[in-house]
Amino acid sequence: MRRILIPILLVAAVLMTGCAYEYMEEDGYRMAVINEGFPVPKNAYEVKPEDCTTEIAKSAKYKLKGIGDEEGTPPADYLDEIERWGWTELEDKRVGHVHYFEKKGKIMSLIIQKNVFDVFEMSDDVEL
């Protein structure tokens, strides 16, 4: 019985530590899989994205502990990093925890929730 229980416990321990990605500003940022010019935290884990609609050209979903609070508020330094990458937030278009950013005519949407966030590249013909 112990021969079976020990390997199961070892596998469980490895799986649990593999899910421990957490938001830390010092970890840095990388390009989003759907748009090379839009940053996402470097240690965010990509999960299955939402299906695209006519308003959304591409989407990506990421899992990262500590990325947002209960109200979906993103870390201020992440918003600062998005601006450093040349994106301007369309603050007048913000709806709740949905943030819109524009750069060279391209619009990106960022939806932050507790421990998960979505990045959407909006279709060129969408008007906010």
Side-chain angles (χ1 to χ4, degrees), residues 1-125:
M1 179 69 171
R2 224 171 13 176
R3 286 185 179 171
I4 295 172
L5 187 58
I6 290 174
I8 290 173
L9 291 174
L10 287 173
V11 169
V14 169
L15 289 175
M16 288 173 56
T17 58
C19 297
Y21 298 112
E22 187 167 354
Y23 177 78
M24 299 238 184
E25 177 186 4
E26 58 270 8
D27 288 339
Y29 301 89
R30 62 182 166 93
M31 297 178 285
V33 295
I34 62 167
N35 186 302
E36 294 178 358
F38 195 84
V40 296
K42 190 179 281 185
N43 57 349
Y45 176 75
E46 185 182 358
V47 294
K48 185 178 182 238
E50 304 295 324
D51 289 333
C52 294
T53 66
T54 56
E55 295 86 22
I56 299 170
K58 301 175 192 172
S59 69
K61 185 179 210 74
Y62 297 91
K63 186 175 182 179
L64 183 61
K65 185 177 178 184
I67 190 64
D69 58 17
E70 294 290 335
E71 290 80 39
T73 307
D77 49 276
Y78 180 34
L79 295 176
D80 292 342
E81 186 69 20
I82 293 170
E83 286 185 17
R84 279 192 287 277
W85 283 45
W87 294 88
T88 302
E89 184 169 5
L90 305 173
E91 293 183 21
D92 59 322
K93 305 296 183 191
R94 187 185 308 166
V95 180
H97 60 273
V98 181
H99 298 259
Y100 292 97
F101 300 89
E102 190 272 332
K103 177 180 173 182
K104 298 180 182 175
K106 185 59 69 182
I107 297 176
M108 299 290 290
S109 173
L110 174 67
I111 302 174
I112 301 277
Q113 298 172 1
K114 186 174 181 182
N115 301 328
V116 67
F117 65 101
D118 295 278
V119 178
F120 299 100
E121 183 175 304
M122 307 307 288
S123 298
D124 289 335
D125 57 345

